[in-house]
Amino acid sequence: MTQIPVLAEGRPAPLGATFDGEGVNFAVFSEHAKRMTVCLFSPDGKTELHRLDLPEREGDVWHGYIAGLRPGQLYALRADGPYAPEEGHRFNYNKLLLDPYAKRLTGHPEWNDALMGYTVGAKTGDLSFDTRDSAPYMPRCVVEDPSFNWGRRQRPRTTLARSVIYEAHVKGLTQLHPNVETEGGFLALASDAMLDHMTRLGITAIELLPVQAFLNDRFLVEKGLTNYWGYQTLGFFAPDPRFMTQDGIHEFQHMVARLHGAGIEVILDVVYNHTCEGSELGPTLSFRGLDNASYYRLAEDKRHCINDTGTGNTVNMDHPMVMRMVMDSLRYWVQVMHVDGFRFDLCASLGRVDNNGFDRNAAFFQALRQDPVLTGVKLIAEPWDIGPGGYQLGGFPPPFAEWNDKYRDDVRKFWRGDDGMVPDLAERLTGSAVQFDHSGRFATSSVNLITAHDGYTLADTTAYLERHNEANGEDNNDGHDSNYSDNFGVEGPTDDPDILSARSKRRRNMLATLLLSQGTPMILAGDELGNSQGGNNNAYCQDNEVGWVDWANADTDLMIFTQKLIGFRKAHPIMRQKRFLHARERLVDGIEDLFWWRSDGQEMQEADWNDPALRVLCAEMRTASGTPRYAVREEAILLAFNSGDALDLILPEPPRTKAWVLYIDTAQPKRDAEVIREGKLKMAAESTLALVLERMDG
């Protein structure tokens, strides 16, 4: 484009750069700007060809239309307005800004002091004003046509009750797989090899660590590291370029289509609580330069950002246009990219009102609950942050599900042999009712996990007592202190066969507990393979063999056992029921649905529950029909968890025409299904059993 484009009035909606078949409409929000400029670049992005001031302002939306502009056009923004940090304003026309609604970016910012709105090293600090042009160090936005031929593919629409979630990093899961030719991106995740693995395993949804465009933190780059996990969002609509070949966003859409074809849903881990611009001392890349006082929650001294997230800033969800951006982003990923749900990072931050504490009726939650698009997808909260009243497990309104860290900690402590953990395990096994059985919520509201990206892998939980994060360059001071882990006498790798056997059984026990519990199970990708991070429990900056799944040393026996557990869960509806079991008569039919047994076949008493030395828990879960007087057990499952010594387990007496059938034994993972006719069986030390009451022919 050589001649100066003509800017027409355009429209204030939709926001962003929108191609309509004949040209592109630009619409940008800024309440406090005095001028908004669109910068058009040459195809290679090196030359800024035109600066065009948007001609119209309707309310706080600046807009204009350029006929003849096509998808692929590179652009960015500049915003003019007051530079008054004490009033919360940090406009600097010298800084090239990314469109918050950009659908694709050409790359990532290259760190240079010119990215700062203030002069680094000046005596007045962030009150100073930097005049350097940041364009040489900034990526460009790309006008996109997001249309995609989805054909007749339907979303899987798996209910939470039937879901088994698989948390994974796009590159980490695929990079070292021997049969994946495309390197570490969306196309790799869509490969036959990855689909074969996930379908054989039996998972129903993959929850991806952040794939929205994100920034590599400066302090990491200076250490030769990178932001591997991606919790520093740069653009809420654009897939991160590192996962694409630059052919376009259709690579992400192709991945989703392939996963849906395999019956697997796609859930995105999204970060709307903060952005990558950090505190007032951070760079001016987009939001800060467009309208700092609107996009961020500011302290009473408006020079400073409120930092409830631990990252330097907190997105201002009280502002209607900021909330609109978040809602538009969520709808875009559902309607255009066809994702099936979201896990909200530090979700408690999204429920704060007027810089006060958490409110489960906050406007954002109300907006989600009434939205006709978003009510049809999965919504999962990480129910905490570091702000006031930040820990909110169980505090979110339906239809939210929530990551349950109490489940993780209590299950680990039970299997480690801590005293007094039987009552806690009973609570976790039955959906954490204390936290979730209110407001019409189901047991599936608890997303049960043993491990996640943030912490040890399952293998490392059984091999390390202390974190080993030296490679992160923080003197091993980062990461969790409370891991509730065990090393069986040797820290890290060992050749001792007894220790290796004990570690393997512990992993099977924890996986069995996870997949035999009420709630929605989530498995960390690689745990089914025995993947280790060498004791690093905070691999956020390890885009290397530490953070990637090690396929070469996969534990195939553990993989097969995990398949068996998932298959067992799918085969027995009682394992997937949404209703809470409370060891009491059901209000509808008066039939008891849960019994707690001692290993000697007697019902648990108060003294048993209060015994800190107790190491065995037996639960009989029932579904039934009929009347209280003539109840018929349709299905019953007996689960036994023993973190202590070997024992004789006395089974509840079955009806005359039925018998208990043993399906799961973590001490003998390859054991075939076996009818137990003796009324008791030997239970190995530190083991889990699962038996089903079945009708016997003849």
Side-chain angles (χ1 to χ4, degrees):
M1 183 179 297
T2 55
Q3 63 181 22
I4 298 176
V6 176
L7 263 173
E9 177 180 336
R11 305 178 306 280
L15 291 167
T18 305
F19 175 66
D20 64 3
E22 297 181 356
V24 176
N25 187 80
F26 293 93
V28 182
F29 158 73
S30 180
E31 180 179 348
H32 298 102
K34 304 303 181 186
R35 175 171 54 140
M36 188 65 61
T37 302
V38 171
C39 306
L40 300 181
F41 288 86
S42 60
D44 61 7
K46 295 180 179 180
T47 305
E48 188 173 349
L49 299 175
H50 305 289
R51 293 186 182 183
L52 305 170
D53 292 344
L54 293 178
E56 296 292 331
R57 176 175 180 170
E58 182 172 323
D60 296 324
V61 176
W62 305 74
H63 53 92
Y65 180 87
I66 303 178
L69 222 55
R70 310 292 298 176
Q73 175 65 53
L74 306 185
Y75 75 100
L77 305 171
R78 296 181 188 270
D80 202 4
Y83 189 83
E86 302 95 331
E87 299 173 14
H89 302 309
R90 295 181 178 273
F91 292 96
N92 188 330
Y93 196 74
N94 301 295
K95 307 305 170 183
L96 193 71
L97 306 174
L98 299 178
D99 177 5
Y101 279 72
K103 307 302 188 296
R104 180 156 67 100
L105 303 180
T106 59
H108 303 89
E110 298 176 13
W111 279 105
N112 187 281
D113 286 348
L115 295 177
M116 307 296 181
Y118 63 95
T119 302
V120 175
K123 291 182 179 180
T124 53
D126 64 295
L127 298 178
S128 61
F129 184 81
D130 191 86
T131 59
R132 287 171 291 181
D133 186 359
S134 65
Y137 312 102
M138 286 290 290
R140 314 306 187 221
C141 307
V142 185
V143 174
E144 273 284 354
D145 178 1
S147 59
F148 182 80
N149 182 10
W150 294 96
R152 296 184 177 180
R153 297 180 183 91
Q154 299 294 316
R155 298 176 186 269
R157 299 191 185 280
T158 308
T159 64
L160 271 179
R162 294 178 176 273
S163 294
V164 178
I165 298 173
Y166 189 64
E167 191 199 24
H169 186 282
V170 171
K171 183 177 181 180
L173 179 60
T174 60
Q175 182 72 10
L176 296 179
H177 196 289
N179 298 322
V180 174
E181 297 180 0
T182 307
E183 198 168 294
F186 299 132
L187 296 181
L189 192 57
S191 66
D192 288 342
M194 294 312 310
L195 295 180
D196 288 347
H197 174 75
M198 288 184 279
T199 52
R200 280 189 292 111
L201 182 59
I203 58 100
T204 66
I206 186 166
E207 181 177 305
L208 297 176
L209 269 68
V211 298
Q212 294 174 337
F214 58 89
L215 180 71
N216 288 323
D217 306 74
R218 189 171 195 170
F219 79 96
L220 291 175
V221 173
E222 290 174 347
K223 291 178 181 179
L225 299 170
T226 188
N227 178 6
Y228 173 56
W229 285 350
Y231 291 90
Q232 290 282 42
T233 308
L234 180 64
F236 293 115
F237 293 77
D240 193 274
R242 73 195 77 200
F243 300 135
M244 300 189 296
T245 67
Q246 291 299 306
D247 283 343
I249 63 174
H250 69 269
E251 293 181 15
F252 181 92
Q253 294 166 312
H254 170 75
M255 175 196 74
V256 172
R258 290 272 289 166
L259 287 163
H260 282 179
I264 298 171
E265 294 186 310
V266 179
I267 300 171
L268 300 188
D269 194 336
V270 288
V271 187
Y272 294 111
N273 60 84
H274 72 277
T275 79
C276 66
E277 290 183 311
S279 73
E280 60 276 1
L281 299 179
T284 296
L285 308 174
S286 178
F287 315 96
R288 175 163 289 132
L290 289 170
D291 198 339
N292 182 72
S294 293
Y295 278 108
Y296 295 119
R297 288 173 53 210
L298 302 180
E300 187 174 348
D301 177 358
K302 296 184 182 298
R303 175 181 174 184
H304 303 290
C305 294
I306 287 176
N307 184 23
D308 286 343
T309 64
T311 64
N313 67 59
T314 305
V315 170
N316 182 19
M317 294 296 289
D318 290 336
H319 196 291
M321 293 300 289
V322 177
M323 184 188 293
R324 174 179 168 182
M325 176 189 71
V326 174
M327 296 295 291
D328 285 348
S329 170
L330 292 168
R331 283 189 290 263
Y332 175 80
W333 288 98
V334 172
Q335 294 178 302
V336 177
M337 308 299 255
H338 280 215
V339 305
D340 305 283
F342 304 94
R343 179 266 191 188
F344 294 88
D345 176 68
L346 301 182
C347 196
S349 291
L350 304 178
R352 286 215 170 76
V353 180
D354 296 328
N355 294 341
N356 295 316
F358 177 84
D359 182 356
R360 71 193 305 267
N361 293 313
F364 175 60
F365 300 150
Q366 300 282 34
L368 284 175
R369 297 172 72 187
Q370 62 78 42
D371 189 279
V373 173
L374 301 178
T375 52
V377 301
K378 293 177 173 63
L379 304 174
I380 302 171
E382 182 185 34
W384 51 76
D385 68 3
I386 67 169
Y391 188 77
Q392 290 293 330
L393 179 66
F396 286 77
F400 272 99
E402 301 174 36
W403 272 26
N404 189 343
D405 63 326
K406 287 186 181 294
Y407 183 95
R408 175 197 65 202
D409 294 347
D410 288 348
V411 170
R412 288 188 184 188
K413 286 188 280 188
F414 174 83
W415 285 112
R416 193 174 64 171
D418 290 15
D419 286 344
M421 291 308 300
V422 165
D424 298 275
L425 182 65
E427 180 69 26
R428 304 306 156 218
L429 188 66
T430 52
S432 298
V434 170
Q435 283 74 34
F436 295 104
D437 190 8
H438 62 82
S439 306
R441 304 184 78 180
F442 292 127
T444 48
S445 300
S446 174
V447 176
N448 298 332
L449 61 145
I450 304 293
T451 57
H453 69 275
D454 186 7
Y456 280 145
T457 66
L458 181 63
D460 289 351
T461 303
T462 66
Y464 294 92
L465 280 176
E466 306 293 338
R467 65 185 177 221
H468 294 270
N469 299 353
E470 292 82 3
N472 295 353
E474 299 181 42
D475 297 324
N476 204 32
N477 290 320
D478 60 305
H480 295 298
D481 289 319
S482 300
N483 297 294
Y484 307 113
S485 59
D486 196 359
N487 65 8
F488 295 85
V490 175
E491 186 77 352
T494 180
D495 295 326
D496 187 308
D498 292 334
I499 293 177
L500 292 174
S501 177
R503 288 177 176 177
S504 293
K505 186 164 65 170
R506 178 71 60 80
R507 295 166 196 165
R508 293 194 296 273
N509 279 322
M510 288 195 284
L511 281 171
T513 307
L514 175 67
L515 288 159
L516 296 174
S517 296
Q518 271 195 289
T520 304
M522 186 185 83
I523 300 170
L524 174 64
D527 277 355
E528 77 280 13
L529 306 172
N531 184 61
S532 172
Q533 293 179 168
N536 192 318
N537 74 351
N538 190 32
Y540 75 102
C541 56
Q542 299 299 322
D543 187 6
N544 50 47
E545 287 80 359
V546 172
W548 303 337
V549 172
D550 180 6
W551 292 90
N553 295 298
D555 183 343
T556 54
D557 287 339
L558 184 60
M559 167 67 182
I560 292 170
F561 184 69
T562 308
Q563 288 176 284
K564 182 178 181 179
L565 289 170
I566 295 175
F568 181 83
R569 183 180 183 87
K570 289 183 175 181
H572 299 284
I574 196 170
M575 302 306 308
R576 301 182 269 103
Q577 61 182 325
K578 300 181 294 183
R579 181 177 52 81
F580 285 96
L581 307 179
H582 283 300
R584 65 172 183 242
E585 291 188 349
R586 288 159 53 186
L587 297 177
V588 175
D589 52 28
I591 300 170
E592 291 178 293
D593 52 21
L594 177 63
F595 292 85
W596 299 108
W597 301 104
R598 298 191 319 214
S599 60
D600 63 1
Q602 301 300 308
E603 286 196 58
M604 289 276 285
Q605 303 299 317
E606 185 175 353
D608 301 312
W609 290 111
N610 293 328
D611 182 1
L614 188 64
R615 294 291 186 271
V616 61
L617 177 68
C618 302
E620 183 187 354
M621 299 178 176
R622 299 178 181 177
T623 58
S625 62
T627 66
R629 189 174 178 182
Y630 301 104
V632 178
R633 287 192 225 173
E634 290 183 345
E635 183 178 27
I637 288 181
L638 181 67
L639 306 175
F641 305 88
N642 176 25
S643 63
D645 298 331
L647 51 84
D648 289 327
L649 181 66
I650 307 300
L651 305 179
E653 185 176 353
R656 184 173 57 86
T657 59
K658 294 186 177 183
W660 290 104
V661 181
L662 177 66
Y663 280 94
I664 303 294
D665 182 354
T666 58
Q668 301 179 64
K670 297 181 181 180
R671 187 174 184 175
D672 293 330
E674 178 182 344
V675 179
I676 308 299
R677 299 186 183 277
E678 301 294 325
K680 68 177 181 179
L681 73 162
K682 295 285 185 182
M683 187 173 190
E686 295 196 28
S687 66
T688 302
L689 302 176
L691 302 94
V692 179
L693 191 64
E694 296 185 356
R695 183 176 298 277
M696 296 291 105
D697 294 332

